[in-house]
Amino acid sequence: MATLLAIGTAKGLFLATSTDDRRSWEITGPHFPMTGVYAVAVDTRRSTPRLLAGMTSSHFGPSVATSDDLGASWDEPDEAPVAFPADTGVSLGRVWQLMPAGPDEPDVVWAGTEPSALFKSTDGGRSFELVRSLWDHPHRPQWEAGFGGQAVHTVLPHPRDPARLLVAMSTGGVYRSEDAGASWAPGNTGIRAYFMPDEWPEFGQCVHKVARDAGNPERLYAQNHHGVYRSDDDGRTWSSIADGLPSDFGFPMVAHPGRGGTVWAFPLVADGERFPTDHRCRVFRSADAGGKWEPLSVGLPEGPFYPAVLRDAMCADDASPGGVYFGTRSGSVFASRDEGDSWSSVAAHLPDVLCVRAAEV
């Protein structure tokens, strides 16, 4: 068994593979050079894992490619696999999220896009159709663009109920469906939007990332634009778990894929000062669903550290003990093979790291 770490950057996709329990890595790439790879997925539901990459070319525009041989070759359709119907009057900016559905739907893959929309594939990610119910939601005209654009960046299928699905966007907030995407309701009660006249609106929050707990799928964790929250009712209501963190601002939020209650974050100082807190490279971990937080920095760079970690540039693998990974805007990638207790370098001097995904393959 090997561990594959897919690293999407501003200038292509890099694939790092470890065959010695994540002690050392071999890196290939860049695949799709000079494209921004904002979304990567490793679909392990099939006997041969499928890689999916959502990339954006300044010349050819956005697309999604798939590989069934761990990146040795890629299939990119002649026609855009993700495209808005002509009657919408908009064009695709980029794909921000690629998420395989649960085991009960082995051919379904979801895509979150800019502008904010959800697409569904029923052929393993080779072609997608717009989910009209979310696009036609009466709130959509009031969804605004965040600093990074207006995008659905989080798609979370429920692991036990295929009819339940959650998306999050900047800005707009969290939306939930309990009927396989036929209808949607906002799920933002308790999430603050300090930048709005009404700081506790029904929708309009700038949610940066949401992760689902492995032990209790009704429990969710959210990193907001100033605010760290937990929901214990599948996103209907939220409460703060920011106490114990040096800041409530940041982008990634990663839940342990095999054990409930464990979650990782990478706090930044503030929205107007997007540096790591205290100018130190530290990941923060909670082992009790946000009740307490501890800093993790053994093996990470010492001294002043200024690069940020983007919303999808941190992930965890499905090994035991769990591996945790993050990449920075300065092109460094770090890995932990012991759930964050210690760290080592995977790569340095890459382009700006936009996303990472890891899995046992």
Side-chain angles (χ1 to χ4, degrees):
M1 185 71 76
T3 302
L4 176 70
L5 175 64
I7 307 165
T9 79
K11 294 184 178 180
L13 174 68
F14 295 81
L15 298 177
T17 304
S18 175
T19 57
D20 59 359
D21 193 22
R22 301 160 293 178
R23 291 180 174 86
S24 63
W25 300 85
E26 293 186 4
I27 299 177
T28 65
H31 306 259
F32 317 110
M34 300 308 296
T35 68
V37 180
Y38 285 80
V40 178
V42 185
D43 188 351
T44 57
R45 297 172 299 173
R46 58 191 72 238
S47 57
T48 301
R50 173 170 292 175
L51 308 185
L52 302 100
M55 63 278 193
T56 302
S57 165
S58 58
H59 182 73
F60 296 105
S63 188
V64 173
T66 60
S67 173
D68 291 333
D69 52 16
L70 300 180
S73 63
W74 293 88
D75 179 20
E76 185 178 353
D78 293 333
E79 296 186 5
V82 181
F84 282 91
D87 67 289
T88 62
V90 301
S91 59
L92 179 67
R94 63 174 53 103
V95 175
W96 278 86
Q97 181 85 155
L98 290 165
M99 177 60 67
D104 293 335
E105 299 178 301
D107 293 318
V108 172
V109 178
W110 300 96
T113 70
E114 177 186 344
S116 291
L118 181 67
F119 287 76
K120 181 179 182 179
S121 170
T122 57
D123 58 7
R126 299 184 185 278
S127 63
F128 292 80
E129 291 188 2
L130 176 66
V131 177
R132 284 280 187 172
S133 55
L134 187 62
W135 181 255
D136 293 335
H137 197 284
H139 292 171
R140 185 180 65 80
Q142 299 177 66
W143 298 340
E144 301 290 345
F147 185 73
Q150 185 205 65
V152 170
H153 52 65
T154 298
V155 184
L156 294 178
H158 195 283
R160 300 176 187 171
D161 185 353
R164 295 164 67 183
L165 185 67
L166 179 143
V167 301
M169 64 190 77
S170 296
T171 64
V174 172
Y175 282 76
R176 304 172 57 257
S177 176
E178 296 184 347
D179 52 15
S183 64
W184 298 84
N188 300 292
T189 300
I191 298 180
R192 184 181 177 221
Y194 83 91
F195 47 83
M196 297 182 70
D198 174 6
E199 295 188 356
W200 305 97
E202 180 186 16
F203 65 95
Q205 286 84 347
C206 188
V207 176
H208 287 176
K209 198 63 186 175
V210 181
R212 192 182 296 275
D213 190 85
N216 177 7
E218 305 302 304
R219 175 171 289 169
L220 302 164
Y221 307 94
Q223 173 66 67
N224 192 54
H225 190 106
H226 279 297
V228 182
Y229 298 94
R230 188 184 77 211
S231 171
D232 293 321
D233 53 12
D234 197 29
R236 293 175 179 84
T237 62
W238 300 83
S239 57
S240 176
I241 55 171
D243 286 350
L245 288 169
S247 168
D248 66 357
F249 187 84
F251 288 97
M253 180 63 64
V254 175
H256 194 297
R259 186 174 66 250
T262 298
V263 63
W264 296 271
F266 194 98
L268 304 178
V269 175
D271 54 358
E273 192 175 346
R274 300 184 182 200
F275 303 114
T277 54
D278 301 320
H279 298 163
R280 296 173 63 188
C281 186
R282 296 178 297 176
V283 173
F284 281 74
R285 179 181 64 197
S286 175
D288 60 359
K292 299 184 293 295
W293 295 90
E294 59 177 326
L296 308 169
S297 61
V298 174
L300 293 176
E302 299 180 357
F305 188 85
Y306 299 101
V309 177
L310 298 179
R311 74 178 91 244
D312 279 309
M314 178 182 283
C315 71
D317 67 26
D318 48 0
S320 181
V324 189
Y325 310 85
F326 70 92
T328 71
R329 300 208 68 178
S330 63
S332 296
V333 180
F334 300 96
S336 171
R337 54 191 295 268
D338 52 17
E339 303 188 355
D341 289 339
S342 62
W343 299 84
S344 61
S345 174
V346 174
H349 312 301
L350 297 179
D352 186 351
V353 177
L354 306 175
C355 61
V356 294
R357 287 293 181 271
E360 297 292 288
V361 296

